[in-house]
Amino acid sequence: MKKVSIFLASGFEEVEALTPVDLLRRAGAQVTIVSIGEERTVKGSHEIPVTADAVFDEMDFADQDLFILPGGQPGTNNLKACGKLRELLADANEKGKLLAAICAAPTVFGDMGLLKGKK
């Protein structure tokens, strides 16, 4: 079973976060919704509160296969500003793990230099 982490930052786009969670869980993946903040409840860009399964500091990401970033504003900017998330993504990229981002969120990878040489 594939293990997936999807990261929520305040101001995330709700449909871009919850649709992948729903589809991947239906497909049999073990999906963990992770708040990058200190609280499990995170408000999306349309003020819809979503309760994450865990907060970032509670997680051990070693066995995760895929990391997903939903877009939305200011959610994408909040993901970019999270140093511990950026460190995790850089390490995952180095190890050849799968990284995915929706809408505005690929700019996180772009700012980190992870898209150089990719099409």
Side-chain angles (χ1 to χ4, degrees):
M1 174 184 315
K2 294 292 182 186
K3 293 185 177 183
V4 180
S5 291
I6 186 161
F7 298 93
L8 300 186
S10 180
F12 68 93
E13 177 61 45
E14 293 90 346
V15 73
E16 294 173 11
L18 297 178
T19 300
V21 171
D22 180 42
L23 290 172
L24 289 166
R25 285 183 177 169
R26 289 177 191 226
Q30 182 180 330
V31 180
T32 304
I33 303 169
V34 181
S35 167
I36 67 163
E38 294 179 10
E39 302 293 326
R40 284 185 187 231
T41 301
V42 183
K43 279 193 181 178
S45 60
H46 300 96
E47 297 297 315
I48 300 170
V50 174
T51 303
D53 301 311
V55 296
F56 191 97
D57 292 334
E58 296 174 342
M59 290 290 296
D60 177 2
F61 296 102
D63 65 348
Q64 299 295 290
D65 302 298
L66 169 62
F67 301 96
I68 301 175
L69 306 179
Q73 286 297 357
T76 296
N77 289 340
N78 291 330
L79 291 171
K80 284 180 189 179
C82 183
K84 58 189 173 186
L85 176 62
R86 292 168 67 95
E87 287 176 24
L88 173 67
L89 295 173
D91 182 61
N93 184 64
E94 213 171 273
K95 292 178 178 170
K97 296 200 176 198
L98 297 173
L99 304 178
I102 301 168
C103 199
T107 62
V108 175
F109 300 148
D111 286 357
M112 294 175 61
L114 300 181
L115 300 180
K116 288 186 175 145
K118 307 229 175 174
K119 293 184 180 187

